[in-house]
Every structure is written in structure tokens, then in C-alpha cells.
Amino acid sequence: MNTPPPVSHLMHTTARPPVVFTHGSGSRLYDATGRDYLDWVQGWAVNSLGHSPAVLVEALRKQAGRVINPGAAFFNEPSLALAEWLVAHTCFDQVFFTSSGAEANEGAVKLARKWGALHRGGAHEIITFHNSFHGRTLAMTAATGKAGWEAMFAPMMPGFVKAVFNDLDSVAGLIGAQTVAIMLEPIQGEAGVIPASRTFMQGLRQLCDTHGLLLIVDEVQTGCGRTGSLFAHQSHAIEPDVMTLGKGIGGGIPLAALLARERACCFAPGDQGGTYTGNPLMCAGGLAVMDEIGKPAFLQAVQARGARLRRGLETLSQRHGHGEVRGAGLLLALQLSADIGPALVARARDGGLLLNAPRPDSLRLMPALNIEEAELDEGLAILDSLL
Ligand SMILES: *Cc1c(COP(=O)(O)O)cnc(C)c1O
């Protein structure tokens, strides 16, 4: 379909296709010409419950009519309730809310540096990983391990060193007197959906215990039911010291969080803040989303849908000579046999299916967690015809 590009005064920070989306419902997104798309991107694994789910719309409507933002230096009910929910469902003791995942990660780095100053003689270095992604602020640009990012906005913030993912020896080799923490994604999303192995996750926990380091998991993409467990690290039976959340926690609205266990909680008044931290409008939305995800049968259903999508992708891969299917739950990737990802994404869009290619040779699938079986089969059929 050839629609002329809309006139735009938006900064050209990403190559947008010539489509303007106007509304959505569940797994469907509609453009200004009335065309509908099956959405397997969902705002990049953000819309946990699909587009404009009734529970989220209603929670926002109700809260907007009560109070939107009394200010970050006052208590409000939704932020207390959401923090209580998160602490009750994890190994963490305290929560700091932010508006984006990058900002939550910034908070994790500040917490680790303060903790290093207090307890580790000023140790401040954080080990992150090649091909990792932690966000786009200046510090997170330095923490991120994307090729080519080292030189992008020089000078780079110091204090991050990069190890090889799933290689414990490479991590151990980087630990020194200045090391204070290890930070990783349980599944590297932008890298093409590369899961950390169970032995790697457990080995990192052990390394941190041995050397007195903090283990920080960036679950901005993997958290909140996306991988079929409430939080991805829980499926590896480890307890990190710090976790960051974003994306799925708000079901599409700008909400993220930094969580820490008691031993790591060292912020004092004045150390961390933000105009929008814990604002009741976003927290009421987040609570509505997490209440839904926390319902007894919800995660089993995510696992069943994930298994169905995985089987379907494996069948297509065999039929058309492509590679492995990676990931967990409804964060999956199909390895392609050539660099056809971007072309497939464009053709799929013309065929009414929204897909993402994090790398030229892989497709990432991240549909709504409540997608219907028929919608999975429908998307697989479109993909089959394209491959
Ligand atoms: C998306 C993402 C971020 C950044 O989140 P923003 O809300 O875009 O700042 C950080 N870490 C991971 C793993 C992500 O997927």
C-alpha cells in the first residue's frame, strides 16, 4: 500500500513508515485510511493487555477525575498500592517510580554508586554486556553494549565495562577493586532475543555473593508477565539485589520502576527524585495492569500462547529453511537465513501484520499477552505466505 508520507515537524529520529495510526483495540491497530493491522509489536512489548484495554482506560479515567499529581514529595494512594503490590510479588523491599526504563536504570546506577561509596570503599564500576540495551540517556548509552554506540555522543560517561553474555569467565575476569555491580537483561531483547542461561544467571548470583557486588536485572522488557513468569529472573530461581521495570508495567503509559532489596536501599532524602515520580495517574494505570497480569490463570495462558506461537514459528522455519526460534513466553525471535528482516517487516505491514526486526537477520514477536489463539494463527498464516 502506498500512502504519501504525512507532513511532519517531528525530529527525524527514526524511519517511520507512511502510516498514521488513529485507534486500536486489543491486538488490532487502525490507520487514518480505516485499514486494520494485526499488531505483533504492541509499542515494542509495551501494551501488555493490547490497545486501550478497558481496565486501563477505566482506571485512568477514574484517577484523572480524582487527582492527577499532588506532587512527588507527598504520599498518594495509587503509588503506595502499586509499590505494595510489587513488593508482595517479588524479593524486593522498596520501589522508586520513574517515567521511562532508561530513567529507572539511571536510578539503579546511582543506587549502586552510592552503595559502593558507603560499603565498598568507593567502588563504582558496573559490568554490563556486549550487545546489551539499557536505554538512551547519556549514562545508559555508555552502559549499553550496542556496536557503534561507543563513539556516538562523546565523551562517554566512564564507569561501565563490557563482558561477554553467557560467559561467566569473561565476567569474573573483569571484576576488580572498583567493581560494584553486574547489570544485565535476563533476555537481551534488542540483541535479537538472546536468553541468559540458567547456569549463567545462577553463576552471576554466586559471583556477586563471593565478591560483595550488587546484581542488577534490567527487566524493562522481560518483566511483568512477558516471558510467562511474572518476572524473568524468577524462572531461574535467583534473587537479584536490584531490578528495573518499564514497558509492560504501564500497559502503554509512561511508567517504570526501580526496585531494591533492603541491603541495597541506601538513598537518603535528596539523592533521587523527579517531578513525575509516583504520580497517581500513572500508578493507578500500572496497578490496573498488574492486577490483571497477577490473576491466577493469566500467566498460564501466556505460557500456552507462547508455546503455540513458538510451535507455529518452528513449523514455518522448517518449511522455509530458516533458523532457530529463541526466547520465552511471548517474547520470541525467529532467526532468518539472510538479512531479509527489514524487507519482511515492510511487506508484512502491507499485508496487515505489524512485525519488528531487531537485527537484519531476525524477527522479534511481542504480541499482547492476552492475544487470542485465532489471532496467533492469523499472523502465522500471513508470515507463512511472506516467507
Ligand atoms: C526499552 C528498554 C529500555 C529503555 O526503556 P525506555 O522506557 O525506552 O527508556 C531499557 N532496557 C531494556 C532492556 C529495554 O528493552
Side-chain angles (χ1 to χ4, degrees):
M1 190 177 67
N2 282 313
T3 320
V7 176
S8 160
H9 300 287
L10 299 171
M11 287 192 187
H12 192 64
T13 54
T14 180
R16 298 180 177 93
V19 181
V20 178
F21 291 114
T22 52
H23 58 293
S25 173
S27 287
R28 300 274 161 193
L29 196 53
Y30 299 82
D31 72 18
T33 70
R35 175 131 205 241
D36 78 286
Y37 302 79
L38 179 60
D39 187 358
W40 281 11
V41 177
Q42 288 289 356
W44 275 258
V46 163
N47 306 318
S48 321
L49 307 176
H51 292 285
S52 296
V55 285
L56 178 55
V57 171
E58 184 54 20
L60 291 173
R61 199 194 58 73
K62 252 166 103 176
Q63 188 59 44
R66 281 167 66 80
V67 64
I68 292 176
N69 198 355
F74 297 113
F75 284 122
N76 70 72
E77 289 169 333
S79 71
L80 289 168
L82 183 55
E84 188 183 333
W85 195 102
L86 290 169
V87 166
H89 288 82
T90 63
C91 64
F92 304 102
D93 301 299
Q94 292 183 17
V95 184
F96 176 80
F97 291 111
T98 66
S99 307
S100 70
E103 212 188 332
N105 285 338
E106 290 270 338
V109 169
K110 285 172 77 172
L111 191 73
R113 287 189 178 188
K114 170 110 195 253
W115 190 82
L118 289 175
H119 304 295
R120 292 286 319 285
H124 60 272
E125 209 165 73
I126 299 182
I127 298 173
T128 62
F129 291 87
H130 293 295
N131 298 315
S132 62
F133 180 77
H134 297 295
R136 293 177 176 278
T137 57
L138 276 175
M140 287 311 113
T141 306
T144 287
K146 272 197 175 200
W149 275 32
E150 307 85 9
M152 227 174 9
F153 300 103
M156 202 74 162
M157 169 169 292
F160 299 97
V161 291
K162 309 271 170 11
V164 178
F165 202 63
N166 277 329
D167 181 343
L168 268 184
D169 290 341
S170 92
V171 180
L174 288 175
I175 296 173
Q178 292 306 316
T179 311
V180 74
I182 299 170
M183 172 160 123
L184 84 162
E185 303 153 85
I187 298 177
Q188 288 190 330
E190 287 297 305
V193 186
I194 314 289
S197 71
R198 190 182 177 84
T199 31
F200 186 60
M201 292 295 278
Q202 295 189 343
L204 288 180
R205 178 67 271 175
Q206 231 158 36
L207 273 180
C208 286
D209 291 343
T210 306
H211 296 274
L213 312 176
L214 297 178
L215 181 61
I216 304 172
V217 288
D218 175 348
E219 294 231 27
V220 170
Q221 191 160 144
T222 56
C224 306
R226 175 56 53 185
T227 65
S229 40
L230 201 43
F231 302 102
H233 72 268
Q234 293 173 338
S235 70
H236 295 302
I238 57 152
E239 296 193 336
D241 302 293
V242 176
M243 172 169 78
T244 55
L245 299 174
K247 298 202 164 100
I249 188 176
I253 59 174
L255 177 67
L258 161 67
L259 297 87
R261 280 160 76 187
E262 194 70 52
R263 64 183 283 256
C265 291
C266 57
F267 279 153
D271 284 344
Q272 180 66 325
T275 300
Y276 298 112
T277 179
N279 76 83
L281 186 62
M282 295 307 122
C283 288
L287 189 59
V289 171
M290 294 313 291
D291 269 340
E292 204 61 26
I293 291 173
K295 282 185 179 165
F298 192 92
L299 289 176
Q300 277 120 283
V302 172
Q303 289 159 18
R305 290 174 195 123
R308 189 181 187 91
L309 181 56
R310 180 185 281 272
R311 277 196 307 274
L313 290 169
E314 281 167 354
T315 303
L316 295 191
S317 182
Q318 271 167 20
R319 185 177 300 156
H320 302 289
H322 291 285
E324 65 170 349
V325 177
R326 291 186 295 265
L330 285 170
L331 179 60
L332 295 175
L334 170 63
Q335 182 64 38
L336 300 166
S337 60
D339 287 355
I340 56 171
L344 267 178
V345 167
R347 286 183 51 206
R349 191 175 59 244
D350 290 345
L353 174 65
L354 299 182
L355 291 175
N356 167 252
R359 295 271 162 131
D361 64 351
S362 62
L363 288 181
R364 176 170 41 176
L365 304 309
M366 37 194 167
L369 300 182
N370 58 1
I371 189 171
E372 287 171 19
E373 282 189 1
E375 292 167 329
L376 287 174
D377 297 344
E378 180 189 343
L380 284 165
I382 297 173
L383 199 49
D384 189 19
S385 69
L386 291 175
L387 288 171

